[in-house]
Amino acid sequence: AKQQGGNRAQFNNPTINAAVKRTFNLENELQHALENEEFFIHYQPIVDLQNKDIVELEALLRWENSKYGYISPDEFIPILEETGLIRKVGKWILKTVSEQINSWHKQDIHLSKVAVNISPIQFNDENFIRDLHEILQETQLNPKYLNFEITENVLYDFNKSLDILYKLHNLHINISIDDFGTGYSSLSYLKFLPIDTIKIDKSFIDNLDEDGKMIVQSIITMGKNLHYTLIAEGIETEKQLEFLKMLGCERGQGYLFSTPLSTDAVTRLLGRNSVT
Ligand code: C2E
Ligand code: CA
Ligand code: CA
Ligand code: CA
């Protein structure tokens, strides 16, 4: 019988080769995406579940390339991280969002905060805090309008995380734990860190059957006892909304209320200040 090593078989797999090629090509395009102005930001409302008032926005990066069209962040963010490009792009995101908040203020639109996703690489970069100060200096934005979303896996070095988080906390920048429940940390670990908000991952909201309800209920109960603001992610149905209200969740985000919107569209919506 012909012997075929598993690795070699995989290496010759046309699907995998195509995927490697695509990643390589996207990586090349991403090298010039900033200077070519291919990035832009969409904003998704976070609402008060009781009255659907917009309480905050989440900034989400978008990339449209002339050759490959619109690419999902789930595909290009990991490439930005692997190449280290996320440092520069992350800085651009922070600056763009800060300028946008200033522009809203000039139009008499006042939001409590705008949430920005911070990549683990950006968070743990030695220049992160310096870059942040530089942007605040340049834009003259009061940092109290910012909320940084980080995932649990960012916090692998407790002492270092503590130091960075306190620097942000002292600037009155809120910290949210994104995708909560998908990592290894627990609320009993997080309670030693200056964290304001817990975002319950969409995977739990998708599974509000008997066991799922128990998990979400315990996150909400514990989170409330520890004085966190709770946001449920990825709410798509009225049924999920009713469950979450019943369980005492205060805030939510999801297609039921609004998809992420262009700056123009969200500015119009903010004029009304509700997604209803
Ligand atoms: P995330 O931070 O958990 O963002 C939430 C994602 O869920 C967004 O996908 C949003 O469009 C989507 N979403 C919101 N509501 C619903 C819903 O009801 N149903 C469904 N199916 N999806 C919903 P998006 O924009 O494609 O971003 C995917 C991920 O890429 C983000 O997950 C985040 O990890 C990363 N990402 C996006 N923008 C940025 C950014 O500016 N910086 C960094 N570092 N990462 C980003
Ligand atoms: Ca997020
Ligand atoms: Ca999330
Ligand atoms: Ca996610």
Side-chain angles (χ1 to χ4, degrees):
K2 246 191 270 172
Q3 242 197 317
Q4 208 171 28
N7 285 334
R8 180 185 295 253
Q10 274 201 355
F11 201 69
N12 289 329
N13 183 322
T15 316
I16 291 176
N17 281 346
V20 170
K21 224 177 249 166
R22 179 172 160 92
T23 303
F24 178 81
N25 290 335
L26 293 183
E27 191 180 314
N28 271 335
E29 295 297 321
L30 282 169
Q31 300 287 348
H32 311 285
L34 256 189
E35 55 191 91
N36 292 344
E37 300 185 356
E38 295 174 356
F39 289 122
F40 50 101
I41 292 172
H42 275 182
Y43 295 89
Q44 187 177 33
I46 296 169
V47 305
D48 179 325
L49 293 183
Q50 291 302 328
N51 53 22
K52 298 189 184 173
D53 281 354
I54 300 170
V55 287
E56 216 171 295
L57 297 176
E58 178 177 1
L60 293 158
L61 185 62
R62 297 291 177 257
W63 179 37
E64 194 168 0
N65 176 264
S66 54
K67 224 184 274 174
Y68 296 93
Y70 172 81
I71 319 278
S72 158
D74 286 324
E75 185 171 17
F76 74 78
I77 297 273
I79 304 177
L80 289 178
E81 290 177 333
E82 279 152 27
T83 53
L85 285 167
I86 193 70
R87 293 190 181 86
K88 252 173 110 180
V89 176
K91 223 175 140 179
W92 177 86
I93 296 168
L94 261 176
K95 179 143 189 236
T96 306
V97 171
S98 300
E99 286 168 346
Q100 186 57 52
I101 298 171
N102 279 338
S103 158
W104 280 323
H105 287 169
K106 286 197 189 103
Q107 297 170 67
D108 216 21
I109 290 171
H110 297 275
L111 272 162
S112 62
K113 282 177 189 288
V114 178
V116 179
N117 291 283
I118 306 292
S119 157
I121 295 179
Q122 202 182 352
F123 185 88
N124 287 298
D125 186 86
E126 52 181 19
N127 295 324
F128 176 53
I129 296 292
R130 198 201 63 193
D131 288 350
L132 172 67
H133 278 290
E134 195 182 299
I135 290 165
L136 294 174
Q137 188 71 41
E138 276 172 22
T139 60
Q140 287 296 303
L141 179 78
N142 185 333
K144 72 174 186 184
Y145 294 111
L146 294 171
N147 183 339
F148 286 171
E149 296 194 1
I150 57 175
T151 48
E152 298 159 67
N153 58 6
V154 167
L155 309 170
Y156 54 83
D157 181 341
F158 186 85
N159 288 321
K160 186 180 172 194
S161 302
L162 194 66
D163 180 54
I164 300 171
L165 291 175
Y166 267 107
K167 285 185 173 136
L168 301 175
H169 179 78
N170 291 338
L171 289 168
H172 303 286
I173 295 176
N174 262 41
I175 305 294
S176 301
I177 298 297
D178 206 353
D179 305 342
F180 182 78
T182 62
Y184 295 109
S185 58
S186 60
L187 288 175
S188 56
Y189 174 81
L190 296 178
K191 77 176 173 193
F192 295 106
L193 297 167
I195 285 161
D196 307 280
T197 303
I198 299 290
K199 298 188 80 173
I200 307 168
D201 191 66
K202 179 178 191 307
S203 58
F204 298 105
I205 310 307
D206 285 341
N207 293 297
L208 288 176
D209 52 14
E210 280 312 307
D211 288 348
K213 252 196 293 188
M214 288 282 289
I215 295 171
V216 172
Q217 175 73 84
S218 66
I219 295 175
I220 292 171
T221 305
M222 283 218 297
K224 281 193 149 180
N225 287 335
L226 294 168
H227 307 290
Y228 290 115
T229 299
L230 294 158
I231 301 178
E233 293 193 290
I235 304 174
E236 294 179 344
T237 67
E238 286 291 343
K239 204 174 150 193
Q240 290 169 332
L241 171 61
E242 286 317 311
F243 265 145
L244 288 162
K245 281 205 282 195
M246 196 182 69
L247 298 176
C249 189
E250 307 146 317
R251 296 180 173 191
Q253 181 178 4
Y255 296 167
L256 179 66
F257 312 111
S258 170
T259 59
L261 301 169
S262 69
T263 306
D264 284 351
V266 83
T267 302
R268 279 193 297 275
L269 194 62
L270 289 172
R272 291 192 275 131
N273 194 37
S274 170
V275 293
T276 50

